[in-house]
Amino acid sequence: MERKAIHDQIGQVRLHGPGPSDVPDSVLEALSSKTIGHLDPDFLRVMDQTQEMLREVLRTKNRMTIPISGTGSSGMETLVANLVEPGDRVAVVRNGVFGGRIADEVSRFGGQVVAINVEWGRTVEPEQVKEALSSGDCRALFLVHAETSTGALQPQMKEIGQLAHEHDALFLVDAVTSLGGTEVKVDEWGIDAAYSGTQKCLSVPPGLSPITLNERAMDKLRNRRTPVQSWYFDLTMIEEYWNEGGARKYHHTAPVNMIFALHEGLRLILEEGLDAVFERHRKNAAALQAGLESLGFTYIVEKAEERLPMLHAVFLPEGADEGKLRKQLRAECSLEIGGGLGDFAGKAWRIGLMGHSCREEKVEALLRDIRSVIVQEHGGPSA
Ligand SMILES: *Cc1c(COP(=O)(O)O)cnc(C)c1O
């Protein structure tokens, strides 16, 4: 088989799936900078700035705010490995694929999952959380802020955080899809630890998982009865490399160029301003929703105020063949969108407007392409 260089194999696909999202040119340039050492003074400065920007985007003062080497799931695994001890009871809200993945992680690390099962497409009620926590002695509550498999945004974050604290449980949050696309207020909401990913609304290639832990979470880590069950994700060691004033002690070689890319991605978001970024997501989401509904798509999430601005999970119009149309969009329009996951496989699309993919002209082009394949197949509502 002939092996061509990557440059000659990869086309200009527009990314409107559930991640990765389109990456701005300046982020790609940062990624292709000269590689330097992970202990080089220039790199240490970039690390400090990256942490500072992560704190701003996460709205936190937590000293322990760093990118974990690995995709979003590595942040999930880091929190579980460090904050769950064998035998700990951990409440996990399961209202989609990612809540299910967290429950799997918790049980693999020896935790006892107290599942709070919620119908897919819905969010959890504080009352249900209270009931689960009152049933006894949970060390932590895990919640997905933006469930990418169903398109649901969890409201009442602050109230749920308070409930966790009243029951002496850590409030642990998956902010993989929400960060950089809608408000995530770590300190104000009482979140004890959270993780995210780079390839969703931060519009950086996949490969890093920003995490943050407050002192309450760090106390739990420092007072463990057992060592952290993962060497690679052991924050007591990783801390000695990352934290300013620490020994900068080698643990594993930092993915230097990915951190350059994250630095540039965060810099762009803060330059635009968080509020402006969120407003751009809201506006474009409204335009996409109007366009999709006019074509006969319906939203999995019934409550309009609980729909994600950055991910539109929709059922196709009656009789449309989702797999065929999705392949056609990729082949004829160089457009990537996502299929349904789990319960919604074969029935739904997941259309992303994440970060740099969330621009007015991109939404217009996206709707034009979707309309053209739907109309071709059905002769449905024409433009
Ligand atoms: C994408 C995603 C993850 C997993 O991230 P990977 O980068 O695929 O490992 C976890 N949680 C949510 C809510 C996600 O959307």
Side-chain angles (χ1 to χ4, degrees), residues 71-73 76 98 101 144 146 148 174 176-177 199-200:
T71 64
S73 305
M76 184 190 289
F98 294 103
R101 186 178 294 185
V144 178
T148 323
D174 176 319
V176 175
T177 282
Q199 78 275 23
K200 312 237 166 141

Side-chain angles (χ1 to χ4, degrees), residues 18-19 70-76 98-99 101-102 144-149 174-178 195-200 206-209 350 354:
T71 64
S73 305
S74 74
M76 184 190 289
F98 294 103
R101 186 178 294 185
I102 293 169
V144 178
H145 183 216
E147 189 34 271
T148 323
S149 60
D174 176 319
V176 175
T177 282
S178 47
Y195 58 91
S196 188
T198 44
Q199 78 275 23
K200 312 237 166 141
L208 290 174
S209 175
R350 292 182 303 145
M354 296 180 172

Side-chain angles (χ1 to χ4, degrees), residues 22-35 203-205 256-265 267-268 356:
D22 286 339
V23 177
D25 288 342
S26 71
V27 173
L28 293 174
E29 280 158 23
L31 188 66
S32 64
S33 303
K34 178 162 186 354
T35 300
S203 280
V204 171
V256 169
N257 288 58
M258 271 306 299
I259 289 163
F260 290 161
L262 176 59
H263 181 284
E264 178 59 13
R267 203 188 64 77
L268 289 178
H356 190 53

